[in-house]
Structures are given as C-alpha cells and as structure tokens.
Amino acid sequence: MPYEPPKVWTHDAESGGTFASINKPTAGAQFDRELPRGEHPYQLHSLATPNGQKVTILFEELIEAGHPIEYDAWPIDISEGEQFGSGFVALNVNSKIPALLDATTGEDVRVFESGAIMLHLAERYDAFLGESRTEMLSWLFWQMGSAPFLGGGFGHFYAYAPEKLEYPINRYAMEAKRQLDVLDKRLGVSEWLAGDDYTIADMANWAWYGQLCLGRLYSAAEFLQVHTYGNVVRWAEAIDARPAVRRGRMVNKLSGEDESMKMRERHSRADFDGR
C-alpha cells in the first residue's frame, strides 16, 4: 500500500531501521557521563567511521610530516548511544562524532564537525592546505555537502533501512554515481583535488568516496560499478597506500573482521608498533 503521510508526524521508534533504537527527534544529553582525559593537549572523541577517520588520518599525516604534536583518541560507540552522554554533548551539541577538545593554548576549546576540525588543525600547522586555498576549500566543502546523500541517502536505504525500497535506492544510487562522476572528471585533469598538492580536501573526500571505490562502504562497489571511475580508483589507491592513512584508519576502530586494524584507543605513536 502507498504511504499516506499523516497530518502531524510522530516518532515511530520501530520504523527507523538499523539505528532506530538510538535515533530521536530531539537534541541534548540523555544521561550523565564524563569524558576521559589523557595527557596530551588534543583530546579526540570519535569512532572509525568515514567522518571520524578524516580527522585521525589528518592527525597521523601531521605527525608523519614531522609536526611535534600528539593526541589522545577515545572511542564514542554510536551504536550504544554514547554520543548522547553529557560530556560528549558539551563538546558537540549535535551529538555526532568526531569532536575535539583543544587545550594547546592553555584553555579548553571545543571544535566539532569533521571539516571544521580538519581546517582548524591544518591552519594551526600551516599544512595540507595546498597552493590554492580557494580550490582546496571548494572541494572540502563539496564533500561536506555531498556526502550526506551518499551516507544518509544511498547508504541508509541500500544497507540499513528495514526494507529495500526501489524508489529511494534508485534515487540515491543515481546521485552517488553523479558525485563519483564529478570526482572522476576532476581527477582526470588533476592529480589531487586541489591541484598538484595533497590536501585535507583529498583526505576528507577519500574517507567516503575513496573507500567506497575500494569496496569498504555498504558492500556496494559492484552495485555502483565503481571500477568504471578509473581516475577516482587511481586516486583512492594512492591515498590508501600512505602509511599515515593506514594508521588513521585504525584509530577508534571497534568492529570488523581484521583484528590487526582495530585500535579502541590511541595515546601515542608507540600504539602502532608491531601492527
């Protein structure tokens, strides 16, 4: 039967798919819980989703490039609703990972939204901004605006919705492929998204589109025929081979079949020894 929207929408916790038990139409803390705090000026609270990996990859790239920084990374298990604890909500009123506490100036400063955290760190160390800051910012914000259609749109209806529905899957598959084509055309004329330099725009876009093309998101590589976007695949494989990217993917990773890639917490470079 076709769905007929009611005059007034009400929340139905049984109809939300995989994350129905934690999704609510309200904001704010749902329980009291203080966040742990390590010894480093940067305290990251996150999870190894694409949005979380953007920031841990950047941290590891900064360290790889020789910047004298360290950070503690603590897991926020969104499947258990930990993002609604009072301590985390104080860092991010939107209850989404990642969130960063920056105490490098002697005062606690919160930074939330993955793109904002990346730009905050890149500007702090004048790194991975590229020669054309304007071009880099365009691609960084393109990712921030486009990826919700890939994750919350395609990913939700293809992988997480309680039933497979043809219309939304077709609608968001078309948009996902259009976005891949945007990237493919750009990477056909430029080695990196912002030009000749590897930047935070590449890291941010790779976390979503690169990993999609590497078969790591939604088991949808065949469905979307990602191999046909040859320029994106070339770019994705080049970034995937970077040591800092491999490390960044591990941080706050709680699930997956490969035990060697899991790292619940990260407190020093030595945590990667032997991996």
Side-chain angles (χ1 to χ4, degrees):
M1 292 289 292
Y3 171 67
E4 183 66 30
K7 290 184 178 181
V8 177
W9 182 86
T10 56
H11 179 227
D12 180 4
E14 301 301 319
S15 65
T18 301
F19 301 105
S21 63
I22 60 173
N23 287 335
K24 296 181 180 180
T26 56
Q30 298 177 11
F31 56 90
D32 290 330
R33 183 192 179 196
E34 293 185 6
L35 293 176
R37 186 153 184 169
E39 63 181 33
H40 302 303
Y42 292 115
Q43 298 292 302
L44 180 68
H45 299 271
S46 189
L47 190 69
T49 67
N51 284 333
Q53 288 173 332
K54 295 178 202 175
V55 175
T56 51
I57 286 170
L58 175 56
F59 264 122
E60 294 301 327
E61 288 282 16
L62 288 167
I63 291 170
E64 184 85 3
H67 295 280
I69 64 173
E70 264 293 8
Y71 69 104
D72 293 289
W74 307 92
I76 297 293
D77 190 342
I78 61 175
S79 68
E80 298 296 327
E82 293 180 356
Q83 68 271 35
F84 300 111
S86 57
F88 187 79
V89 173
L91 276 187
N92 186 355
V93 296
N94 196 37
S95 294
K96 304 288 184 181
I97 62 95
L100 177 69
L101 181 69
D102 179 352
T104 54
T105 63
E107 297 182 2
D108 288 351
V109 176
R110 73 176 187 185
V111 194
F112 61 93
E113 287 295 325
S114 57
I117 296 172
M118 296 183 82
L119 192 57
H120 175 76
L121 293 172
E123 289 183 334
R124 169 71 56 81
Y125 298 101
D126 192 23
F128 301 111
L129 295 169
E131 290 188 5
S132 174
R133 189 176 188 275
T134 301
E135 188 74 10
M136 180 278 293
L137 286 174
S138 293
W139 286 107
L140 177 64
F141 283 91
W142 181 87
Q143 184 277 314
M144 298 295 290
S146 297
F149 291 97
L150 177 61
F154 174 75
H156 175 77
F157 286 105
Y158 184 79
Y160 301 130
E163 59 180 306
K164 305 297 184 186
L165 299 173
E166 183 178 5
Y167 175 78
I169 289 176
N170 285 344
R171 171 66 181 86
Y172 287 111
M174 179 178 67
E175 176 61 14
K177 288 180 71 67
R178 188 194 70 81
Q179 292 175 4
L180 286 169
D181 199 40
V182 169
L183 290 172
D184 200 62
K185 285 181 167 57
R186 171 58 180 170
L187 292 167
V189 298
S190 179
E191 181 179 5
W192 305 105
L193 289 174
D196 294 333
D197 300 314
Y198 171 65
T199 70
I200 57 174
D202 294 291
M203 300 176 207
N205 278 277
W206 179 87
W208 283 98
Y209 301 96
Q211 296 201 92
L212 178 68
C213 286
L214 294 170
R216 295 180 187 147
L217 287 185
Y218 314 128
S219 300
E222 182 179 6
F223 181 74
L224 294 174
Q225 292 289 278
V226 297
H227 69 276
T228 62
Y229 304 97
N231 298 316
V232 182
V233 172
R234 180 269 304 166
W235 165 86
E237 291 176 344
I239 295 175
D240 194 51
R242 296 176 68 91
V245 173
R246 292 183 60 81
R247 294 197 301 273
R249 284 183 55 222
M250 297 180 193
V251 179
N252 299 144
K253 189 171 181 61
L254 307 183
S255 61
E257 295 181 359
D258 189 347
E259 291 294 326
S260 68
M261 289 297 293
K262 296 179 185 178
M263 181 178 288
R264 182 175 180 84
E265 298 176 8
R266 186 264 188 223
H267 302 291
S268 77
R269 305 174 201 196
D271 292 340
F272 296 99
D273 292 350
R275 289 177 177 265

